[in-house]
Amino acid sequence: LVKYNGKLEGYNNHIIIPSEIDGVKVKEIGQSCFYQNDNIIEVIIPEGIETIADGVFVECSNLRTISIPKQYVLEHLVQMRI
């Protein structure tokens, strides 16, 4: 997913990122994908995401909740040696 255009499942301010788009698995959320989107309140990220790039949610001033798959969190905690 490179850039949010307002056409994902959910409402414009409650975003559900799909696990695939047009038959292609979504594995990454690209840098600055939601940059300066003040409409977003919640984002749900699906299982299978491998990379969440830097700056994805920069200046999303109304964003309150990001749901990240447990497996993604566990894998990245191990990589950071926390």
Side-chain angles (χ1 to χ4, degrees), residues 1 4 7-21 34 40 42-46:
L1 189 60
Y4 172 66
K7 296 181 181 178
L8 296 177
E9 184 179 341
Y11 299 99
N12 283 337
N13 55 0
H14 295 274
I15 306 301
I16 302 169
I17 296 174
S19 57
E20 60 179 55
I21 298 174
F34 296 99
I40 298 172
E42 174 184 31
V43 175
I44 299 172
I45 298 172

Side-chain angles (χ1 to χ4, degrees), residues 10-11 14 17-18 26-27 32 35-36 40 46 48 52 56 61 69 78:
Y11 299 99
H14 295 274
I17 296 174
V26 175
K27 294 184 179 185
S32 304
Y35 179 72
Q36 291 185 328
I40 298 172
I52 299 174
V56 171
S61 61
V78 168

Side-chain angles (χ1 to χ4, degrees), residues 36-66:
Q36 291 185 328
N37 189 322
D38 292 334
N39 297 319
I40 298 172
I41 295 171
E42 174 184 31
V43 175
I44 299 172
I45 298 172
E47 295 288 336
I49 289 291
E50 297 173 2
T51 304
I52 299 174
D54 293 337
V56 171
F57 301 109
V58 169
E59 296 185 31
C60 294
S61 61
N62 293 312
L63 183 60
R64 300 290 178 255
T65 306
I66 302 171

